[in-house]
Amino acid sequence: SSSSTSSSSSSFAVVAGPSGGALPVMMDAARFAELAQMMTLPHQLVPRFASHLKLPRPLENLAKAAAEQLTRLELLTGKPPQLQAATAIYLAHFLFPRCKATKEGICKEAKVSGANMLRCFKDISPHWKSLIPADTQAKVGENTLSALLSQ
C-alpha cells in the first residue's frame, strides 16, 4: 500500500520498506502528478466542473451518479477521469434542455477533446439505463430518454 504526499519543494511517495516500515522515495513531479491523477475518480471531478460551468445542482447530481456508475461498471476503464467526468456531464445535460451547457464548454472545463468525449459518449449511450437512476428514468420516461440519448 502506498500513499503520496507533496511539499512545496519536492514530491515523494511513501512505500513499504524491507522491514515493513514506511520508506519515502523521491520521484519527479510528472510521475507524482501521474500517480495522483490515477487516484482521482471521475465522480470526484464532477462537482468542480459543474460549479465552474454554473450547472444546476440536479444536473450535477445526475452527472455524479452517472460517473459513479461508469466506474462501477468499468465502461470507460483506461480513460482519464477528466474524460469520464466530462462524458457523464454531457450525458446528464441532455435531460436539462434549458441548461446552457455546451459540448465545447464541458470539454474546455475538463481539458479534454470534443472528439474523445463524443467517442466515449457513443460507447456509453447504449448503457444509459444502467447510468441514469431509476427514479429519474421514471420521471422523464423511457421513450423520451431513448430519443434524447441516441443522438
Side-chain angles (χ1 to χ4, degrees), residues 63-148:
K64 190 172 177 184
E68 288 172 350
Q69 283 297 98
L70 283 174
T71 301
R72 209 172 274 119
L73 299 172
E74 299 182 351
L75 292 177
L76 294 175
T77 300
K79 303 293 185 196
Q82 295 85 348
L83 182 56
Q84 293 185 46
T87 304
I89 291 171
Y90 187 67
L91 171 79
H93 104 281
F94 283 108
L95 278 68
F96 294 83
R98 285 178 279 204
C99 177
K100 302 277 191 262
T102 64
K103 177 185 72 165
E104 295 77 17
I106 295 167
C107 291
K108 183 178 179 187
E109 178 57 37
K111 296 179 175 58
V112 300
S113 83
N116 282 342
M117 188 181 71
L118 288 178
R119 260 193 299 278
C120 287
F121 179 74
K122 185 177 176 188
D123 290 345
I124 68 164
S125 58
H127 306 280
W128 66 262
K129 287 184 182 181
S130 302
L131 300 173
I132 296 173
D135 61 327
T136 302
Q137 291 182 40
K139 285 179 201 168
V140 178
E142 186 172 336
N143 291 338
T144 302
L145 284 168
S146 291
L148 286 171

Side-chain angles (χ1 to χ4, degrees), residues 18-96:
S19 62
L23 187 67
V25 177
M26 294 299 294
M27 66 178 67
D28 64 57
R31 177 69 179 141
F32 181 79
E34 180 182 40
L35 287 174
Q37 180 184 23
M38 290 181 348
M39 292 183 261
T40 303
L41 294 172
H43 74 270
Q44 295 170 319
L45 298 171
V46 169
R48 184 179 73 206
F49 294 167
S51 173
H52 292 172
L53 291 164
K54 297 180 175 36
L55 301 179
R57 185 61 51 113
L59 192 159
E60 175 186 333
N61 293 341
L62 182 59
K64 190 172 177 184
E68 288 172 350
Q69 283 297 98
L70 283 174
T71 301
R72 209 172 274 119
L73 299 172
E74 299 182 351
L75 292 177
L76 294 175
T77 300
K79 303 293 185 196
Q82 295 85 348
L83 182 56
Q84 293 185 46
T87 304
I89 291 171
Y90 187 67
L91 171 79
H93 104 281
F94 283 108
L95 278 68
F96 294 83

